[in-house]
Amino acid sequence: MKKFIIAFWDMLAYLVISIPLSAQFLYYFFNSEDLNFMQVIFYSFCLAIVVWGPFFLQHTEIDLSRDYVNPYYMTSWGPKNNLDLQYNWEIFPSEIEKVSLVKLSKEEKKKYTSSKFLFSKYLKIELRYGAVKYVYVSHYTNFQIKKIIRLLTSNLYKNTKIAHRN
């Protein structure tokens, strides 16, 4: 079972920005007789935002058949400690013990994750052998967060039933 969940608030912001830009691009580009250099640059910028914007949206890919979870979020702006890139992005659902929603303080964000996220809503994923991972989920709606937790914990129940049979 493979699920791909795009952050709602990112998608909404992308649509609010890209719809007027694409409408302006289409109207002026096809109805203009002569374009100067700056107008061509502006319309190319509008088109680039519309075309490349979806590649930068936060999303989570969960594939329980391959035991794979990939939370993708942009951490490229500002100083970072690379904990998310090296540690928090490698999640295997078969190792998950418990998933809960937490709010981290600034100090905790600096210690456990990249420090330059705007909001503080995270999934705290407790793994076997005592490891804890934090996934940034502030741009998801509450419904999407519950769905992600449900998908991650559904594999947990499946693994515990198998473990109790043996």
Side-chain angles (χ1 to χ4, degrees):
M1 171 174 65
K2 186 174 184 176
K3 295 286 183 180
F4 192 79
I5 303 168
I6 298 174
F8 174 77
W9 298 113
D10 285 355
M11 180 59 80
L12 184 64
Y14 167 73
L15 290 175
V16 165
I17 292 170
S18 68
I19 288 174
L21 288 179
S22 61
Q24 185 175 16
F25 169 78
L26 292 173
Y27 178 76
Y28 285 114
F29 190 76
F30 292 115
N31 291 332
S32 252
E33 298 281 329
D34 54 341
L35 292 172
N36 65 24
F37 180 72
M38 292 305 290
Q39 287 175 327
V40 170
I41 296 294
F42 176 72
Y43 298 136
S44 300
F45 180 72
C46 292
L47 184 63
I49 288 176
V50 172
V51 171
W52 291 101
F55 293 107
F56 298 102
L57 297 177
Q58 291 186 32
H59 62 272
T60 300
E61 182 181 352
I62 300 172
D63 190 357
L64 296 178
S65 63
R66 293 187 326 166
D67 195 32
Y68 172 77
V69 175
N70 180 20
Y72 174 81
Y73 40 86
M74 295 299 294
T75 58
S76 61
W77 60 280
K80 58 182 180 260
N81 56 13
N82 289 328
L83 280 176
D84 291 320
L85 296 174
Q86 297 172 355
Y87 181 71
N88 286 336
W89 282 12
E90 298 175 2
I91 300 172
F92 301 103
S94 62
E95 296 179 357
I96 294 175
E97 295 252 338
K98 183 181 175 185
V99 180
S100 58
L101 186 64
V102 296
K103 290 193 178 211
L104 297 179
S105 66
K106 287 184 181 183
E107 293 79 24
E108 290 173 327
K109 285 197 279 188
K110 288 179 183 177
K111 185 176 180 183
Y112 300 124
T113 67
S114 295
S115 59
K116 288 295 180 181
F117 291 119
L118 294 176
F119 305 106
S120 60
K121 196 185 299 186
Y122 289 83
L123 283 181
K124 180 180 179 183
I125 301 174
E126 298 176 27
L127 304 175
R128 292 183 191 158
Y129 314 114
V132 176
K133 297 187 179 196
Y134 294 91
V135 176
Y136 182 69
V137 292
S138 291
H139 291 190
Y140 294 91
T141 62
N142 289 337
F143 176 76
Q144 288 177 321
I145 293 170
K146 289 176 186 175
K147 184 175 182 179
I148 292 170
I149 292 172
R150 189 170 47 248
L151 286 170
L152 293 177
T153 56
S154 69
N155 196 39
L156 171 68
Y157 295 124
K158 184 171 73 172
N159 289 338
T160 56
K161 289 178 185 175
I162 292 171
H164 289 296
R165 284 187 205 155
N166 294 334

